[in-house]
Amino acid sequence: MANEIQNAFNTVYEDGPSSAPTEPSKPRVRGELAPVIQEQVDLAKSMAQGAAEGYVVGSTWLALAAITGTRVGQPARVPTSDAGTHTDPVVGGTVPNSGEFAWATSPNTGWRRISDVIDPTLLAPKNSPTFTGSPKGPTFPTTDRSTLLATTEHVKANIETITVDVPLVAQRVHTVRGADGVDLSATLDDGRVVGYRRSGGKLVCFGDSITEFSNYPDRIASRLGFKSAVNVGFAGERMGQHPDANHDKFSMYQLAEAIRTGNFSAQTAAAAALADPEHSATLARLVAINWSEVATVTIFYGTNDFDGDLPIGTSTDATGATFRGAIKLSIERLLTTYPHLELVFVTPMWRQRQAAGDNKDATGFPNDIGEYLVEYVDAELDQAALYQIPALDLYRNCGINLQTHAIYLDDGLHARTEPGNELIAKRISAFLETISH
């Protein structure tokens, strides 16, 4: 830096004519010497600032190139007074000598040019800056409650997932208003209802093939704000006892006992004996459940009990050998172990046939022991009421009948396709909306 000023003085104050050997040219002082002095003062200021920040300032590219950086990413600068060019030592290519640089060790070692010289006058102030255009920022998780600046996406996501922070307790939020005063308790534009939330809780859906091969659990969870849904439907299984010992291990009253004890070894052995990969996959989901995180459990069995001629029994039965006895055991085993659960029964819905193609609809045809499907429905409603457990009469309130079954049931029994999937999800969601702890 001293050489530049000294050279400027030597040039301007060169020996003059013999008549005035010590008289310099004032225009030359102003035009040549003053800019050099100002540039070197500015450079000294930059170097002082850079030293405080680990910042390196080279008066020229050659001066910077002679300096070895102390860390990867260390910043540096060459002022605009160096108008030449050089080959970038890190990535190659011809670049201007002036600019902002950073120390790099890959793919080669040296000062890599990263941008033109930054003009500090164009930078936004740190204190109360006013941005223009469309500035962007990262979107943080909806659970973030820090002082980080929120984006419009972050705010929208939080509004759409308004919850009541009372873990595992059903709550109804009668009015939820946004910042503009608009009531958000109705339905959002993506179809989810925000008026009802089981904050932080999971939904677990038990059932037979009508459950296993449907995605209604996920649809309910989305509508009502559950944290997630676990589908534990086992195709072909019952509420009560099955004559096959392996299948019986997947009856609801037996699953409730495994949940009570935490011992699923009987189910694991039965799944292996049945060589049913779908049973094994569903069992794995069931075993993995942390019941302290579960808010609501739906139990949607009965159509196979009817089809398998299981006796309905009485309200005092205490074994899985009857339909009512299996319901009793399932309730007692689950709620004795996990009393926080919101347990909900869903009755069988109307069916158009017994065996495929026989057209023996539930309205006109009983099973082989003379019982009609609606009698299993009424027994379930009654048994649940004895325990003050809510139960949805899906048989009478689903809207599937002789006139509509071709729309909703793809084989006279299962609602595995649209609009049957959606119908079941809507009916159960609407029922859950009417109840709370």
Side-chain angles (χ1 to χ4, degrees):
M1 179 173 69
N3 289 339
E4 283 79 0
I5 296 177
Q6 181 179 356
N7 292 338
F9 268 99
N10 290 338
T11 300
V12 173
Y13 282 89
E14 62 185 359
D15 293 340
S18 57
S19 60
T22 59
E23 183 68 27
S25 168
K26 293 181 180 179
R28 292 189 66 190
V29 170
R30 291 192 296 268
E32 297 180 34
L33 180 58
V36 172
I37 295 174
Q38 183 62 54
E39 179 180 350
Q40 296 305 307
V41 169
D42 291 342
L43 181 58
K45 291 169 61 179
S46 296
M47 292 177 68
Q49 181 180 359
E53 300 176 353
Y55 201 94
V56 178
V57 177
S59 58
T60 64
W61 161 248
L62 290 177
L64 177 62
I67 299 173
T68 300
T70 59
R71 59 183 172 84
V72 173
Q74 182 180 15
R77 172 185 294 175
V78 173
T80 55
S81 58
D82 188 341
T85 62
H86 67 277
T87 300
D88 192 299
V90 180
V91 296
T94 301
V95 295
N97 285 348
S98 66
E100 303 293 335
F101 294 82
W103 182 255
T105 58
S106 176
N108 297 298
T109 299
W111 294 103
R112 179 177 180 178
R113 190 178 191 276
I114 57 176
S115 71
D116 292 336
V117 174
I118 298 174
D119 184 350
T121 63
L122 300 179
L123 300 179
K126 293 181 179 180
N127 186 13
S128 303
T130 300
F131 298 113
T132 59
S134 301
K136 296 181 179 180
T139 298
F140 306 103
T142 56
T143 54
D144 193 292
R145 297 293 186 273
S146 69
T147 58
L148 295 173
L149 294 177
T151 63
T152 56
E153 183 178 7
H154 173 77
V155 174
K156 183 174 184 289
N158 268 284
I159 291 176
E160 290 180 351
T161 55
I162 292 173
T163 60
V164 179
D165 291 328
V166 183
L168 307 181
V169 177
Q171 298 286 338
R172 180 178 295 279
V173 182
H174 294 287
T175 302
V176 180
R177 298 190 183 277
D180 57 359
V182 176
D183 186 359
L184 302 175
S185 302
T187 302
L188 294 171
D189 57 7
D190 63 357
R192 287 183 294 161
V193 178
V194 298
Y196 188 82
R197 287 288 182 263
R198 286 165 172 80
S199 177
K202 293 183 179 181
L203 170 68
V204 175
C205 297
F206 286 96
D208 47 42
S209 58
I210 295 173
T211 296
E212 179 177 353
F213 300 126
S214 173
N215 64 2
Y216 76 79
D218 289 330
R219 298 187 187 208
I220 294 172
S222 178
R223 277 185 161 85
L224 301 185
F226 288 98
K227 182 178 181 180
S228 61
V230 183
N231 185 326
V232 282
F234 292 94
E237 308 304 356
R238 310 177 178 188
M239 183 83 73
Q241 194 173 79
H242 195 291
D244 182 284
N246 289 316
H247 281 287
D248 186 52
K249 297 301 186 293
F250 294 97
S251 295
M252 186 64 225
Y253 79 104
Q254 294 276 39
L255 294 176
E257 177 63 11
I259 294 168
R260 184 186 72 82
T261 62
N263 184 355
F264 292 89
S265 59
Q267 284 71 30
T268 301
L274 293 170
D276 185 341
E278 292 175 339
H279 268 45
S280 296
T282 304
L283 177 60
R285 293 196 295 272
L286 176 59
V287 172
I289 293 173
N290 180 348
W291 290 95
S292 66
E293 298 177 347
V294 177
T296 301
V297 174
T298 62
I299 298 177
F300 185 8
Y301 284 100
T303 198
N304 290 327
D305 299 84
F306 159 79
D307 197 45
D309 303 325
L310 183 73
I312 291 177
T314 68
S315 62
T316 59
D317 289 344
T319 73
T322 68
F323 187 60
R324 292 186 69 146
I327 296 172
K328 172 184 171 70
L329 287 177
S330 298
I331 293 173
E332 292 177 352
R333 289 170 174 175
L334 288 175
L335 293 186
T336 299
T337 311
Y338 299 108
H340 74 274
L341 294 176
E342 178 184 57
L343 198 59
V344 179
F345 281 84
V346 180
T347 75
M349 59 188 182
W350 185 91
R351 53 190 290 172
Q352 183 267 339
R353 51 87 166 176
Q354 291 184 18
D358 65 9
N359 295 319
K360 291 184 177 181
D361 64 83
T363 303
F365 296 87
N367 59 16
D368 290 343
I369 60 174
E371 304 283 6
Y372 286 84
L373 181 57
V374 71
E375 295 179 89
Y376 288 82
V377 170
D378 289 339
E380 185 171 343
L381 294 172
D382 181 61
Q383 197 72 17
L386 291 175
Y387 286 86
Q388 296 78 48
I389 300 296
L392 168 61
D393 185 350
L394 200 61
Y395 182 92
R396 295 182 176 91
N397 297 296
C398 191
I400 298 176
N401 51 46
L402 279 169
Q403 289 72 42
T404 64
H405 72 84
I407 298 176
Y408 297 112
L409 304 179
D410 52 296
D411 62 353
L413 173 62
H414 299 92
R416 294 176 291 201
T417 56
E418 300 305 324
N421 260 326
E422 178 65 12
L423 178 66
I424 293 176
K426 287 171 60 177
R427 292 292 187 266
I428 298 178
S429 295
F431 183 72
L432 292 178
E433 276 273 78
T434 67
I435 62 174
S436 64
H437 283 294

